[in-house]
Amino acid sequence: MKNLVLVIISFTCFACNSTEKPSTSANPHEAFIKQYFEYFNQHDWTKMASMYADTADFKDPSLGQSIVKQTHEQTIKKYSELSQAFPDLKDSITNIYPAGEKHIVVEFISKGTAPDKSAFVLPICTIFTIENGVITKDFTYYDNF
């Protein structure tokens, strides 16, 4: 009986020590999206636009209520106009949520100075769809004041 108890205790200790640790690897798209926000904060609209498919689907209050297809050139134009209106515009990621193999959700804060010299802080959430190494969908949600 004493030997049986020792075997059970030994087996239990071995089993506790050999359990797999949870994976700590980040979503493969996380570094890609962080690079996207670096380009945004540098106002490098050409590099940022190159991260999209040739034509990508956008859902953004500034573009209306439905999905709008945009080319690289249209994306560059949109963000160039945005940075002219808000030259100090910067985004800070607050959370990144992996959502399956093709999606990543990003919560961030957009800060800048409006043309009337008033500072603004705008919470935003974007759902990115990434396929074949490029963004194919950019669905962005915020209060369009």
Side-chain angles (χ1 to χ4, degrees):
M1 182 69 163
K2 188 177 185 180
N3 287 340
L4 180 60
V5 171
L6 287 175
V7 169
I8 292 172
I9 291 171
S10 296
F11 178 75
T12 304
C13 289
F14 175 76
C16 290
N17 289 330
S18 67
T19 58
E20 287 186 36
K21 294 181 180 175
S23 173
T24 57
S25 64
N27 179 289
H29 302 307
E30 191 169 330
F32 179 77
I33 289 302
K34 285 181 178 178
Q35 181 64 65
Y36 172 93
F37 279 90
E38 283 182 36
Y39 291 148
F40 181 94
N41 287 333
Q42 296 165 2
H43 295 193
D44 192 335
W45 311 128
T46 302
K47 285 184 181 174
M48 192 187 84
S50 74
M51 298 179 82
Y52 287 95
D54 291 339
T55 302
D57 291 342
F58 286 81
K59 190 185 289 183
D60 183 321
S62 71
L63 299 171
Q65 302 236 340
S66 59
I67 295 172
V68 175
K69 293 191 177 295
Q70 294 225 284
T71 64
H72 290 176
E73 293 76 22
Q74 291 169 311
T75 301
I76 293 167
K77 182 178 187 286
K78 174 190 172 198
Y79 284 102
S80 293
E81 291 170 356
L82 184 67
S83 66
Q84 287 175 355
F86 308 101
D88 62 343
L89 184 64
K90 297 282 187 228
D91 287 347
S92 301
I93 297 172
T94 55
N95 285 300
I96 297 178
Y97 306 98
E101 292 180 23
K102 297 192 293 185
H103 300 95
I104 193 157
V105 179
V106 182
E107 273 185 284
F108 57 100
I109 303 294
S110 192
K111 294 181 181 179
T113 306
D116 67 359
K117 305 296 182 213
S118 64
F120 69 88
V121 176
L122 180 65
I124 302 175
C125 184
T126 299
I127 303 167
F128 292 101
T129 302
I130 302 168
E131 299 174 288
N132 301 317
V134 294
I135 300 166
T136 57
K137 295 179 184 173
D138 176 328
F139 291 5
T140 298
Y141 302 91
Y142 57 91
D143 183 7
N144 190 19
F145 59 90

